[in-house]
Amino acid sequence: MKSYFIGLIGLIAHFGVNATVPVTTAPPANSQTAWILADATTGEVESSHNAQLLLKPASTQKLLTTLAGALALGPDWRYKTQVRYNGQLRDDQLVGDVLIDFVGDPSLTREQLQALLKRTGIRRINGNVLLNQQRFSGYDRGNGWSWNDLSVCYTSPVSALILDRNCVQGALYARPNQAARATVPAHQPVSISAKVDVLNRTEQKRQFCSLEVEMTPPNQYRLTGCIGPRKEPWPLRFAIQDVDAWGTDLTRWALKQNGIHLSGGIKASHITASDWPVLAHHHSPPLKELSRRILERSDNLYADSLLRTLGAEHFNQAGSFSNGTQAVRDILQQEANIDLGPAWLADGSGLSAHNIVRAQDLLAVLLTITQDPRANWLMGLLPVSGESGTLRYRRSVQSATLKGKITAKTGTISHVQNLAGFIDTHTGQRKAFVLLQNGLSISPQHEKNIAAGQGEWPARRFEREWLEAQVLGNSDQTN
């Protein structure tokens, strides 16, 4: 394929651009900071600092995943969930098995599953229903995901079987002088209990106490520890732990809603059933719409399901985190001449602490988005400062100077605050930029002072002033 990438890496290597940041504020103390700024049209690098330093990208890594998806699949590609059968079908009765071929569609809901089964026209199944997950293999969570995040929905299992985001919402009532009480909607096939103390902030800190969750199969959650008092319930969002049990319960619900009688059981399967006749199918929204959720709302489940799908498509085998990350590398190299070199990819969302990339890698992706017609549509899906997505309320971009001027992907995990995207300057120029801040931490006393309104988070201040300098064109300081 023709490459639209103009040779950014060579530009850096040969010309050694290394301008200092054109602001008076220094990067946060003791942190690792990198940035690179280029003309979005020509790709000419105007300023860079530590652009070849390997840092954690956090959710800016979703730029790599969505670009690979755009180049390999295109904006109109869709997930296709199918219902197949094996046996004798007469009118509305089947003597044999029904197989639901789940393919990792992150948008699939229980109501859509119900509608899909209804379209088969079957009223009686003298056999089993198989929940097939052959599309993916290996772990359903990425290497390097934090173990104590696995109970929450932004780490929901990225399985081939995804229904209602593999996530359950609940509530924790924690009113003063009352025992805490946890609930989930009655229709959800999970159980939850709580033994939680309701304590004020001072007492919580004295006891080093926080809210914790214990998880046991099949999808049982027990809350312990403590939480602060609140008139309104605390929202809870639990990631499903036992996908097979979850799928069984929701499929049983869908069968019942449709009045379909099942004589056998509902069983998990991992088989190739391409020769089984198709009864009905369901298409997801197109990749362009799914990618909006990845980029604008920074949806981890959507990003990692796309990654595993790319592995399946590229290598013609069951998708995994391992072959998915290699597929991204291959696609970017082959389709856009982007060599990720020593970068290490562990997932597609940026959630893993094992991910490390260079600022120059992310800039190469941004320039491809602007220059390759196959990827131009991704530009319109990025959040805009003060207006949409994860930049709508980001405090560093709320000033009058920056509102509406930054179109970028955010990336935030513990001790990391990143941005990668585009800046519209006051003179009407568009710049591509990457700003990575890793190793961010301040002292407990400094944190107390900020909480009391004394000062500002150093990373936030640096990000704002760096961006404002680029918008205003204040770039006179160089090494």
Side-chain angles (χ1 to χ4, degrees), residues 166-231:
N166 288 348
C167 170
V168 171
Q169 298 188 17
L172 179 63
Y173 294 84
R175 291 170 181 162
N177 305 316
Q178 296 182 21
R181 179 173 57 89
T183 65
V184 293
H187 69 275
Q188 296 288 19
V190 305
S191 65
I192 182 172
S193 61
K195 189 177 182 181
V196 177
D197 295 326
V198 180
L199 304 175
N200 60 41
R201 183 172 299 179
T202 300
E203 193 60 24
Q204 288 182 61
K205 290 184 177 181
R206 189 187 71 81
Q207 296 187 26
F208 296 92
C209 179
S210 61
L211 187 66
E212 298 181 355
V213 59
E214 300 171 5
M215 301 171 290
T216 55
N219 298 316
Q220 299 181 38
Y221 306 86
R222 181 173 182 268
L223 298 173
T224 60
C226 66
I227 198 168
R230 182 173 169 173
K231 291 183 179 179

Side-chain angles (χ1 to χ4, degrees), residues 21 23 25-28 33-35 435-437 456-467:
V21 62
V23 293
T25 301
T33 304
W35 67 80
L435 176 59
L436 306 179
Q437 298 186 77
E456 185 179 16
W457 288 98
R460 182 188 303 156
R461 181 177 65 248
F462 179 72
E463 182 175 276
R464 183 184 66 252
E465 295 190 1
W466 190 92
L467 292 171

Side-chain angles (χ1 to χ4, degrees), residues 84-134:
R84 299 173 179 268
Y85 76 97
N86 185 30
Q88 297 295 319
L89 179 61
R90 291 185 178 179
D91 298 325
D92 61 356
Q93 298 195 33
L94 172 68
V95 178
D97 295 335
V98 165
L99 179 142
I100 307 172
D101 211 0
F102 291 97
V103 292
D105 178 358
S107 68
L108 190 63
T109 67
R110 68 180 72 191
E111 290 81 10
Q112 290 169 340
L113 176 63
Q114 177 194 346
L116 176 60
L117 290 172
K118 185 176 183 179
R119 287 199 299 275
T120 66
I122 293 177
R123 301 287 294 175
R124 177 178 291 273
I125 303 170
N126 293 318
N128 300 311
V129 173
L130 306 180
L131 309 182
N132 200 40
Q133 298 190 61
Q134 188 270 341

Side-chain angles (χ1 to χ4, degrees), residues 155-411:
T155 61
S156 292
V158 191
S159 49
L161 191 162
I162 300 175
L163 288 168
D164 292 349
R165 299 182 49 78
N166 288 348
C167 170
V168 171
Q169 298 188 17
L172 179 63
Y173 294 84
R175 291 170 181 162
N177 305 316
Q178 296 182 21
R181 179 173 57 89
T183 65
V184 293
H187 69 275
Q188 296 288 19
V190 305
S191 65
I192 182 172
S193 61
K195 189 177 182 181
V196 177
D197 295 326
V198 180
L199 304 175
N200 60 41
R201 183 172 299 179
T202 300
E203 193 60 24
Q204 288 182 61
K205 290 184 177 181
R206 189 187 71 81
Q207 296 187 26
F208 296 92
C209 179
S210 61
L211 187 66
E212 298 181 355
V213 59
E214 300 171 5
M215 301 171 290
T216 55
N219 298 316
Q220 299 181 38
Y221 306 86
R222 181 173 182 268
L223 298 173
T224 60
C226 66
I227 198 168
R230 182 173 169 173
K231 291 183 179 179
E232 299 299 322
W234 292 96
L236 301 174
R237 302 186 75 224
F238 294 110
I240 291 301
Q241 304 300 308
D242 188 335
V243 172
D244 291 344
W246 175 248
T248 297
D249 288 331
L250 295 193
T251 301
R252 183 179 295 113
W253 171 87
L255 292 170
K256 183 178 180 181
Q257 292 295 114
N258 289 326
I260 299 174
H261 177 76
L262 176 67
S263 66
I266 301 173
K267 301 180 179 182
S269 70
H270 291 79
I271 64 174
T272 300
S274 56
D275 58 338
W276 290 28
V278 175
L279 286 166
H281 67 266
H282 168 81
H283 278 120
S284 74
L287 183 60
K288 184 174 183 178
E289 187 174 332
L290 301 174
S291 295
R292 177 179 295 279
R293 189 170 182 116
I294 295 173
L295 294 176
E296 189 172 273
R297 300 177 62 177
S298 203
D299 195 298
N300 295 329
L301 181 68
Y302 279 56
D304 284 314
S305 186
L306 175 58
L307 178 96
R308 300 187 77 178
T309 299
L310 289 170
E313 293 286 333
H314 188 71
F315 292 105
N316 194 28
Q317 59 184 244
S320 66
F321 281 94
S322 181
N323 63 24
T325 52
Q326 186 59 49
V328 168
R329 295 183 74 101
D330 289 353
I331 293 164
L332 295 184
Q333 174 73 66
Q334 296 164 10
E335 299 292 332
N337 197 29
I338 299 175
D339 183 0
L340 294 179
W344 183 263
L345 310 183
D347 59 21
S349 61
L351 187 61
S352 173
H354 294 179
N355 295 308
I356 47 172
V357 303
R358 302 166 295 186
Q360 67 182 40
D361 299 325
L362 289 165
L363 182 60
V365 168
L366 294 170
L367 292 178
T368 301
I369 289 174
T370 62
Q371 297 170 11
D372 191 327
R374 297 171 297 168
N376 291 160
W377 55 272
L378 292 172
M379 174 75 77
L381 310 183
L382 290 168
V384 178
S385 54
E387 296 180 6
S388 63
T390 54
L391 283 184
R392 185 174 184 181
Y393 299 112
R394 192 175 177 102
R395 294 186 183 182
S396 63
V397 296
Q398 298 303 310
S399 68
T401 301
L402 296 179
K403 188 172 182 180
K405 298 293 186 180
I406 311 299
T407 303
K409 182 71 198 78
T410 56

